[in-house]
Amino acid sequence: MALSARIPTVYARRLGVLASTVALAALTSLVNAPVAQAAPPTPISASAARAYLATVTPRAEGSTSGYSRSLFPHWSTVSGSCNTRETVLKRDGRNVVTDANCASVSGSWYSEYDGATWTAAADLDIDHVVPLAEAWRSGANSWTTSKRQQFANDLTRPQLIAVTDVVNQAKGDQDPAEWLPSTTSYRCTYARMWVHVKQYWGLSMDSAEKTALVNVLNGC
């Protein structure tokens, strides 16, 4: 066969190899792409959290007598038709698209607590890092409803984060002595968030709660 007749065949084969290589590289890049992470406000540092805990005198936890979630009105309107839940979903997600009512209709969310990624907003809850019932038992029972509403919708402190709904429901109103994220690498951040919120809002801590926080933060 003449050389001129073989050139197109060889060229085509090389193009095929090149295309396969490019496709493999693209797939590898996709698999290794960084995962979008939730972005609540940055909590105080581990050293600042430890310093604060050193000043805390533990107090026995109060009761839930008289408690109701309705005493912590949420979700408040933030802007236009967007409320606090929708604002956190948009903040903590990636490529989030919202409709005319500010509801998230597409996007992806990485749950820091358990390492799961979701593409439907319905699979996520907005967790109150310091649960409302825990706040009630720690001093919020004496607050005005207006102050409890501010606490339940606090976007300035690291109090709200989008996480897997069933994980949030399993957490319930437990404190760090009873529950910590299954993603161990996030526990330091979670402890810092917890201390930050309790410090800012002047909420008490019981002995087991303080000990659990100290133990986590000593490893940070």
Side-chain angles (χ1 to χ4, degrees), residues 61-176:
E61 193 168 75
S63 76
T64 53
S65 176
Y67 167 74
S68 169
R69 285 179 67 84
S70 65
L71 295 172
F72 292 79
H74 60 287
W75 304 108
S76 298
T77 299
V78 175
S79 176
S81 58
C82 299
N83 64 26
T84 311
R85 171 183 164 81
E86 291 149 356
T87 299
V88 175
L89 282 172
K90 188 170 184 179
R91 181 198 71 189
D92 288 359
R94 183 176 186 181
N95 299 323
V96 178
V97 175
T98 56
D99 63 18
N101 296 315
C102 202
S104 298
V105 295
S106 65
S108 66
W109 291 266
Y110 177 77
S111 172
E112 298 284 7
Y113 289 178
D114 59 327
T117 298
W118 304 97
T119 55
D123 290 320
L124 296 135
D125 278 353
I126 305 305
D127 180 43
H128 290 95
V129 172
V130 175
L132 304 182
E134 165 67 21
W136 178 269
R137 297 189 296 262
S138 304
N141 61 320
S142 66
W143 294 353
T144 63
T145 300
S146 176
K147 185 172 181 178
R148 287 193 288 265
Q149 181 175 12
Q150 293 172 38
F151 174 81
N153 297 276
D154 189 0
L155 292 166
T156 304
R157 265 62 54 181
Q159 163 67 341
L160 301 171
I161 184 171
V163 297
T164 303
D165 53 2
V166 294
V167 172
N168 181 52
Q169 292 152 25
K171 171 187 171 180
D173 63 355
Q174 299 177 92
D175 69 30

Side-chain angles (χ1 to χ4, degrees), residues 44-47 49-54 56 129-130 134 174-181 186-199 203-220:
I44 59 175
S45 66
S47 59
R50 287 193 294 267
Y52 173 70
L53 287 172
V56 171
V129 172
V130 175
E134 165 67 21
Q174 299 177 92
D175 69 30
E178 304 157 318
W179 186 93
L180 287 168
Y186 197 70
R187 289 181 178 179
C188 180
T189 300
Y190 182 78
R192 290 162 53 207
M193 294 165 77
W194 185 283
V195 173
H196 188 154
V197 172
K198 282 223 161 177
Q199 177 185 32
L203 295 168
S204 65
M205 296 185 188
D206 63 43
S207 182
E209 173 189 357
K210 177 182 176 180
T211 297
L213 289 165
V214 169
N215 289 340
V216 172
L217 290 165
N218 280 344
C220 297

